[in-house]
Amino acid sequence: MPITGDIASIGECMVELAPIEGGFYRRGFAGDTLNTAWYMRALLSPAARRIRYVSAVGTDGLSDSMVEFLAANALDTRSVARLHDRTVGLYLITLAGAERSFTYWRSMSAARLLAADPGRLAAALDGVGLVYLSGITLAILEPDDRSRLFVALEALRQRGGEVAFDPNIRPKLWSDRATMAAVITEGYRVATIALPTFPDDAELYGDESPAVTASRIAALGVGEIVVKNGAAPALVRFGQQEFMVPAVEAQPVDTTGAGDSFNGGYLAARIACREPSEAAALGHAVAARVICLRGALADMELFADLRVG
Ligand code: ADP
């Protein structure tokens, strides 16, 4: 699948406050679609591929810092809209032993309006050959904006672009299960590449096995499907072919970002014209390293030996 043009990842980046010693917190930036963009960036040369982050932030200093952070890591920020009456979402991590719990302030975040302006959305996807989004991207949008995004993605698909979708199921972000199931199914319908996680889809749709998950998604018109399944092999379905790709053995210390980093590895390899089996192996290799480190965003240099383009 030769992909021409830019890569775009659409979603919400948040401010993360993580506890350090003495009651202090370290400020970071995080978000599922940022994580995937990050690992695509780590594996593809900035000289060869532009990776846009498509989102919205405020015009305050904290929003400025987030945009500077993205740009400093070679992510293209021209499609990060600046909205003067909003700011960025924030979450704070609380530790109780090894368990982490999260408190969120995101209901009024600017990213919820990322698809509100049709002209801005069209510009964000202009010249894009592959777009990545998640169920979290869909969950934070108002229904009208979500429909607008689906129309724009369908248009991109019609002009030969790839639409990669990970449902990244987070029941708390949805008003009810029926809406969540229906919108995620719609996400699959518009996708050309689906990247689900088996236990999550099994819980929502009652799938008995990864093969059933893949068949259900294929029936929605998706030609390329990777069903992740933790330490177990990933099932890849590509057209009529189906194969299992074993994970890399790892002793995880923090599985935050496992699926997102797998997606980054898989998509980077596909963008670099590698076969799906090789792409899934790269996804596993990236994820196995990420889960052995704390936090979702690891130093990109740690992945230099895995670069594909
Ligand atoms: P998610 O993070 O979306 O819940 P998974 O748990 O399926 O997704 O993990 C995504 C990927 O992370 C897996 O496909 C695999 O590559 C890697 N991974 C997760 N857990 C392990 C593990 N215990 N050992 C090795 N690899 C793992």
Side-chain angles (χ1 to χ4, degrees):
M1 71 169 187
I3 291 165
T4 52
D6 287 359
I7 309 304
S9 183
I10 312 181
E12 178 175 19
C13 175
M14 301 179 75
V15 175
E16 176 189 271
L17 294 180
I20 51 175
E21 261 113 81
F24 292 99
Y25 288 84
R26 178 181 292 120
R27 189 199 66 194
F29 298 105
D32 65 331
T33 49
L34 169 66
N35 300 344
T36 298
W38 182 272
Y39 290 103
M40 286 195 279
R41 182 70 296 157
L43 299 167
L44 295 166
S45 149
R49 273 300 169 173
R50 213 160 28 212
I51 301 178
R52 304 180 189 176
Y53 196 58
V54 178
S55 192
V57 301
T59 51
D60 54 310
L62 190 54
S63 298
D64 290 346
S65 303
M66 182 183 285
V67 173
E68 282 158 20
F69 170 79
L70 297 171
N73 287 288
L75 295 169
D76 188 296
T77 58
R78 82 189 64 179
S79 298
V80 178
R82 308 298 301 258
L83 309 179
H84 66 85
D85 53 350
R86 294 253 177 158
T87 184
V88 288
L90 179 149
Y91 68 92
L92 184 142
I93 302 172
T94 304
L95 289 179
E99 285 298 310
R100 289 148 48 103
S101 64
F102 299 85
T103 309
Y104 287 94
W105 293 266
R106 75 191 303 187
S107 56
M108 283 301 288
S109 76
R112 292 180 175 248
L113 300 178
L114 66 84
D117 181 321
R120 213 171 55 214
L121 186 59
L125 296 179
D126 188 38
V128 166
L130 181 145
V131 63
Y132 174 76
L133 77 157
S134 76
I136 296 178
T137 313
L138 298 177
I140 63 170
L141 302 180
E142 291 298 329
D144 283 355
D145 293 1
R146 208 185 271 150
S147 303
R148 185 175 302 110
L149 178 59
F150 281 133
V151 169
L153 294 174
E154 185 57 42
L156 188 133
R157 188 179 164 161
Q158 291 301 323
R159 55 178 192 265
E162 300 283 342
V163 179
F165 175 62
D166 181 338
N168 236 336
I169 293 169
R170 298 284 186 282
K172 278 190 182 159
L173 290 180
W174 297 90
S175 55
D176 60 274
R177 268 175 79 86
T179 306
M180 173 170 73
V183 174
I184 286 173
T185 297
E186 238 184 301
Y188 281 135
R189 271 189 215 285
V190 80
T192 59
I193 303 173
L195 299 158
T197 296
F198 174 64
D200 294 353
D201 264 44
E203 221 272 304
L204 186 58
Y205 296 104
D207 305 335
E208 284 144 22
S209 67
V212 172
T213 300
S215 301
R216 178 178 48 76
I217 298 169
L220 298 169
V222 189
E224 183 168 346
I225 302 155
V226 185
V227 186
K228 290 161 282 174
N229 196 7
L235 184 149
V236 179
R237 180 170 168 139
F238 186 57
Q240 297 308 310
Q241 306 165 44
E242 209 167 89
F243 34 85
M244 304 301 289
V245 180
V248 174
E249 222 177 288
Q251 304 298 327
V253 298
D254 175 6
T255 56
T256 311
D260 307 332
S261 59
F262 177 99
N263 297 344
Y266 184 85
L267 293 173
R270 295 294 288 138
I271 291 159
C273 294
R274 306 295 168 89
E275 294 298 321
S277 54
E278 205 184 322
L282 184 63
H284 283 313
V286 174
R289 282 190 198 177
V290 170
I291 62 179
C292 291
L293 301 162
R294 294 227 166 266
L297 300 179
D299 182 349
M300 290 190 195
E301 282 310 312
L302 296 176
F303 300 82
D305 59 313
L306 298 178
R307 275 184 199 143
V308 283

